[in-house]
Every structure is written in structure tokens, then in C-alpha cells.
Amino acid sequence: MSTNDSKSRPDVIARHLVDVPRSGIRDFFEIVNSMQDVISLGIGEPDFDTPWHIREATIFAIERGATSYTSNLGLLKLRRAIADYVERTFALRYDAEQEILITVGVSEALDLAIRALCNPGDEIMYHEPCYVSYAPLIQFAHGIPVSVPTSSDHEFRVTRKALESRVTPKTKALLLNYPNNPTGAALTTKDAQDIADFVQENDLILITDEIYAELTYDRAHVSPASLPGMRERTIFLHGFSKAWAMTGFRAGYACAPPELTDAMMKIHQYTMLCAPSPSQEAALEALTDPEQDIADMKASYLKRRNFLLNSFREMGLSCFEPHGAFYAFPSIRDTGLSAQEFAMGLLDQEKVACVPGTAFGPSGEGFVRCSYATALDELKEAVQRMAAFLNRLK
Ligand SMILES: Cc1ncc(COP(=O)(O)O)c(C=O)c1O
């Protein structure tokens, strides 16, 4: 069937897909990519190379023949290494044989977790602004996405009051991501406890996407999954893309009690079969000395974050202190422009790309996401151009 045929027959495309909007980020970057000499603070991806020992180990693994299917759950030696790492880092013990599933990035793990839980019409709550895939994945699973707004007044941390205002008898699960993309918000221990109490009192499953967990600054990361009573009702998601700068390897994992892991595994075995074997070998190598690999990149992110925050304050943009990930989310409200107008104006006039906060949900209006996974020299040039743009608005 040609594209024209499908256009003339709108019923060809599944109805629940037609309702899903295109990603706002994708539209924005199509414009950015068509321009020359843009400094991008828009990309949600580390600017560091994957540590060399990980790349080298992957090459050797391929040489040794790591090119075939693995067990559907993933290499057992990798699952064992993950079990130890997760215990050491998150105070959560999972059984490598039955409770860990290696996935194609956290992206696949999110899809599996949602599909494993969702009956048509089930509501899944998630905070907003949030990573762009959450609501679409819930819709793909025939669920109903229920957003819980967060605000700069509470540093974009979800509050118990907001959660309580959106829960209904149809709510099945709560999906959270802290440290957060796009705001950089990180939970306090009290927030994590409030979430744990709410989830248990309402008999929900928690899906917690902790992909930025290693990248927290002046605040220890606390996983709500590690609090009493939570492990048995949590799907814990993590991966190697961000802290290890391994986005292209597509390596992630889901940890959950056996019943939930089995359900995710059913989908994974028929749709994906297994995560790519060279990437699993890479992930195994990444777990040989993770603290060392991550420390240097983290120190650099912290320096850039502080530079960016100070620069925003000097140019009169208010920005709460982001405690995690590699994003700052300054308020552009005082300019009188919408987030979209601000981002487009800055791109047109100064060739600096940052993402309008509305790409991550309506609560992102009045904010833009600036990624500091960008070299310091480029950040310095970007803030000068931003200051020039703001001066012209005065
Ligand atoms: C919050 C969040 N979850 C998941 C992902 C996807 O990660 P992966 O590369 O592991 O699929 C991203 C990527 O930007 C993200 O920001």
C-alpha cells in the first residue's frame, strides 16, 4: 500500500495511535538540524565518549564471537553483576535468576513495564513535566495517562497532595522519574517516603525510572523502591545510557518480583528476543569499576551546572537549583514570551537551541530545558548569546 493510499484511508492506522501527538522535541530538532552553527543545549545525551575500556571490551567480545542470541532474560553473568551493583547503590537486592531482565535501553523497559500492567482503561499516573515517552507508551498499551502536575514552587518534586488529587479507583500504577528529565529535580528522603506511603495506601504498583540516579549533586539519591513495603510492588528501571555515556549501546534493565518480571519477559521474548549481545558485554564491563568511570563525568557536570546557574542568575533568569541529571530548567516567564516563542526566538536570533518546557507537558509552560551535557566552552558562548537575546527583549 502506498503512502497516498493510507492517507486517503485514515481508518488504516490504529485509532489509538492517531490520537498520539508527535514528539515536540522531534519537531524542534528538525528545525535545529536544518540550521548551521547552532550551539545546542537541547540534547539529552552525554557529550563524553563511552569510557575506552568499555568500548575496547566490546570490540574484544565481538572478536571472541559474542554475536549470537543470549538467554531471553540476558546474560546471567551480567544479571549477577547488576544484582550486586543495585544492592550496593540502591540498597535493593534482586535475584539474578528470576528478578532481572536486560532490555534494549530503559526505553524498552518502560514499554514492557507499562504493557505488563495495563488493561484497557486502566489509569497510570505520572508526574509532569516528564520524559516525552510516558503518556504515549501508556496510550499504546490502551491505558489512560493521568498526569500529576509539579511546579517550581516545590522544585518540581511531586507532592502527596497532588498525587491524592488525581488518584481514582481505576488507578493501577504510578510512574516516576527522579532525578528528573527535564527539570533536574531530585527527591528528598521525605518525598520518597510520601510516595511510598501513597503507593501502599492506594494499593498501586510503582514504576520508577532511575536512569539518572548516579548523577545527583549535593543530595544523596534515594529510591522509593528501597523503602519498607515497596520492593514487592515496584518495577525498578535503570540503564547505562546516561551515567556511563552509552546511549548508542541501548542497554538497560528492569528489576521486579518474579511475577512481574515473568510478565515483562513474555512480551520481551516475542518482541525483542534479547538485548544485543555486544551491548550486554559492554554493560558487564561498565560494571567492573563504575564509581571511577562516573566520578570524572559527574565532577564535570557539576562544574557546568554551577556555571550555568550563576550565569542565569546574572542575566536575571530565575532557576531553582537542579540536584540531579544534567538539565537546568530556568523560568522565562518574566520575558513575557511563551516557552515556544522564547526557544524559537533564541534559535532564530542567536542560534542557541534549548527545548521549550511545554515539550514535556503543560506544566513546562514558562520554562525551557537547557542541557549541560555540553562542553564548558560551548556553554560559555551559549550564555553570552542568551544574554544578548534577553537584552534585546528589554
Ligand atoms: C527519564 C528517561 N528515561 C528513559 C530514557 C531512555 O533511556 P535509554 O537510552 O536507556 O532508552 C531517557 C532518555 O533521555 C530519559 O531521559
Side-chain angles (χ1 to χ4, degrees):
M1 181 186 302
S2 76
T3 320
N4 279 346
D5 288 341
S6 64
K7 270 193 188 141
S8 60
R9 289 187 47 204
D11 56 318
V12 166
I13 307 298
R15 271 189 295 281
H16 72 292
L17 275 190
V18 175
D19 292 342
V20 176
R22 276 163 60 93
S23 157
I25 289 204
R26 195 175 129 194
D27 287 346
F28 188 71
F29 278 98
E30 273 173 19
I31 302 172
V32 173
N33 291 338
S34 68
M35 295 173 70
Q36 303 267 304
D37 303 326
V38 172
I39 299 184
S40 182
L41 309 185
I43 310 278
E45 158 159 65
D47 62 320
F48 294 103
D49 290 332
T50 306
W52 170 242
H53 71 100
I54 299 176
R55 288 184 277 156
E56 192 178 40
T58 316
I59 295 165
F60 287 157
I62 294 171
E63 272 182 3
R64 286 198 320 270
T67 55
S68 42
Y69 294 136
T70 68
S71 135
N72 294 136
L73 284 172
L75 293 169
L76 184 56
K77 58 186 177 178
L78 173 58
R79 286 182 275 138
R80 287 193 173 128
I82 288 172
D84 290 343
Y85 178 72
V86 169
E87 181 170 26
R88 196 163 80 235
T89 315
F90 299 94
L92 274 165
R93 182 74 204 172
Y94 289 100
D95 175 4
E97 311 261 349
Q98 317 179 61
E99 297 185 313
I100 299 177
L101 170 62
I102 314 295
T103 57
V104 180
V106 172
S107 300
E108 192 214 353
L110 280 162
D111 183 37
L112 295 178
I114 292 167
R115 282 205 274 164
L117 295 175
C118 208
N119 288 310
D122 282 348
E123 293 179 358
I124 298 200
M125 291 165 67
Y126 62 97
H127 58 77
E128 166 279 304
C130 68
Y131 181 50
V132 289
S133 78
Y134 290 179
L137 289 180
I138 298 165
Q139 285 170 283
F140 295 160
H142 303 274
I144 300 175
V146 176
S147 65
V148 182
T150 60
S151 84
S152 56
D153 298 343
H154 198 67
E155 297 190 336
F156 292 102
R157 291 176 282 128
V158 74
T159 63
R160 172 112 201 220
K161 198 167 157 211
L163 290 170
E164 272 161 6
S165 72
R166 304 309 303 269
V167 70
T168 77
K170 287 192 189 159
T171 311
K172 183 86 178 269
L174 171 65
L175 166 57
L176 292 181
N177 161 236
Y178 289 100
N180 180 256
N181 174 10
T183 62
L187 297 178
T188 63
T189 308
K190 158 109 178 42
D191 296 324
Q193 188 61 60
D194 282 352
I195 290 163
D197 292 344
F198 169 80
V199 165
Q200 291 181 54
E201 280 163 28
N202 290 283
D203 196 18
L204 306 181
I205 301 290
L206 175 69
I207 305 171
T208 177
D209 171 353
E210 301 190 21
I211 191 165
Y212 295 98
E214 289 81 1
L215 304 178
T216 49
Y217 316 102
D218 29 74
R219 177 173 290 175
H221 175 71
V222 46
S223 173
S226 66
L227 298 178
M230 288 305 291
R231 186 190 177 285
E232 54 269 35
R233 54 172 70 247
T234 299
I235 302 180
F236 171 86
L237 308 181
H238 199 25
F240 297 87
S241 287
K242 308 294 175 169
W244 285 265
M246 289 175 62
T247 49
F249 283 86
R250 315 304 305 123
Y253 52 93
C255 304
E259 190 191 12
L260 290 170
T261 303
D262 271 358
M264 291 188 283
M265 169 66 179
K266 257 190 202 164
I267 307 168
H268 175 78
Q269 73 187 355
Y270 292 124
T271 53
M272 207 58 68
L273 223 156
C274 67
S277 40
S279 300
Q280 294 192 51
E281 295 285 350
L284 183 63
E285 176 67 20
L287 291 175
T288 53
D289 192 7
E291 287 76 10
Q292 185 52 45
D293 284 337
I294 295 167
D296 293 347
M297 291 190 257
K298 188 170 157 178
S300 179
Y301 290 137
L302 179 59
K303 211 162 140 191
R304 299 167 186 189
R305 181 202 72 158
N306 292 344
F307 168 76
L308 205 53
L309 278 183
N310 287 336
S311 305
F312 287 153
R313 284 172 190 156
E314 276 166 21
M315 57 177 109
L317 288 181
S318 70
C319 185
F320 84 95
E321 190 171 327
H323 290 286
F326 38 59
Y327 308 106
F329 208 56
S331 166
I332 49 88
R333 280 202 181 115
D334 288 349
T335 64
L337 300 178
S338 69
Q340 180 76 15
E341 288 164 346
F342 183 95
M344 287 312 297
L346 184 62
L347 183 61
D348 270 357
Q349 294 176 33
E350 294 293 339
K351 296 197 172 178
V352 174
C354 54
V355 186
T358 41
F360 308 98
S363 307
E365 185 52 279
F367 297 86
V368 289
R369 186 188 78 173
C370 300
S371 163
Y372 49 88
T374 309
L376 199 53
D377 285 350
E378 288 200 48
L379 280 181
K380 285 182 181 164
E381 173 65 25
V383 295
Q384 277 183 14
R385 295 188 191 183
M386 241 178 177
F389 175 69
L390 286 169
N391 278 336
R392 242 177 278 125
L393 291 176
K394 282 181 186 156

